[in-house]
Amino acid sequence: MHEDGRALQNDIRLERIKTMTVGIKKEDIKILDFGCGNFLLGKYLQEHGYDVTPYDAYHPDYNRLPDKNKYDLCLCIEVIEHTSFPFIELDVIHRSLKQGSLLYIETGFYDIMVEDNVAPEDYVYIEPACGHSTIFSHHSLDLLLAYRGYATRRHFDRNCRLYEKIGK
């Protein structure tokens, strides 16, 4: 049910992908849908002519590790908050992306709770029962990714951030 709700955002994501990859033919863009779940977003993007590879460690159909140094764009939609050890997942992403590739992350951030003046115990996004075990602030995710070899490129809104792989 959650994935169906997320799918309503796919038109917005498609427009963002067009913005992020302006000047590149879509058939030349290799996209990794990291933590793809049932691959709804990836299938939607494939219907629009994109080359998308699914990866989800917890889905038996999509749990094959992605190829190294292959992808131009990694989509990490509502995934990073499920990581107990984000370095492991970020290492998989890092080795999958080519130099200069983009990492697009959507998640609920700690900053949203603060901006909306919501107490941590009332912030519905912090919910270990559904696997949300790591909630980042904007700054902490920027620092973590800088440490892992990424430069912050764009903050689309308070839930969506774009990074570029600059380190090997």
Side-chain angles (χ1 to χ4, degrees):
M1 187 169 78
H2 180 69
E3 269 200 25
D4 291 337
R6 282 189 349 192
L8 298 174
Q9 300 293 317
N10 287 346
D11 287 336
I12 295 169
R13 293 179 182 121
L14 178 60
E15 290 306 311
R16 287 183 176 159
I17 290 169
K18 290 176 183 177
T19 299
M20 291 183 272
T21 59
V22 69
I24 306 170
K25 293 180 189 176
K26 64 180 163 184
E27 56 270 11
D28 293 338
I29 303 166
K30 301 265 187 254
I31 299 175
L32 175 62
D33 187 357
F34 188 89
C36 67
N38 291 319
F39 196 48
L40 297 177
L41 173 60
K43 289 175 186 173
Y44 174 84
L45 294 173
Q46 287 175 337
E47 290 169 7
H48 286 83
Y50 287 92
D51 180 357
V52 185
T53 300
Y55 174 72
D56 194 310
Y58 301 100
H59 195 293
D61 295 336
Y62 307 122
N63 63 3
R64 182 180 172 273
L65 282 173
D67 294 334
K68 293 181 180 179
N69 298 313
K70 179 178 181 178
Y71 301 96
D72 305 295
L73 172 62
C74 177
L75 305 175
C76 192
I77 312 292
E78 301 282 340
V79 173
I80 196 101
E81 68 276 4
H82 292 272
T83 62
S84 296
F85 303 100
F87 282 116
I88 294 169
E89 287 83 358
L90 289 173
D91 282 346
V92 172
I93 291 169
H94 194 78
R95 73 172 180 246
S96 302
L97 290 174
K98 296 187 270 186
Q99 192 74 7
S101 295
L102 300 174
L103 170 58
Y104 174 81
I105 296 177
E106 283 186 23
T107 189
F109 286 95
Y110 177 85
D111 307 69
I112 295 169
M113 177 187 70
V114 173
E115 290 168 10
D116 292 349
N117 200 26
V118 176
E121 61 273 11
D122 296 328
Y123 185 42
V124 295
Y125 205 79
I126 299 175
E127 182 53 62
C130 67
H132 293 183
S133 57
T134 304
I135 307 298
F136 292 93
S137 70
H138 294 143
H139 186 68
S140 68
L141 187 61
D142 289 351
L143 287 175
L144 174 64
L145 286 164
Y147 178 74
R148 300 310 283 172
Y150 293 86
T152 303
R153 289 296 174 234
R154 182 168 179 189
H155 302 153
F156 284 95
D157 59 32
R158 63 190 199 158
N159 292 303
C160 305
R161 303 177 91 64
L162 182 65
Y163 300 91
E164 180 182 352
K165 179 180 174 181
I166 58 171
K168 294 188 180 199

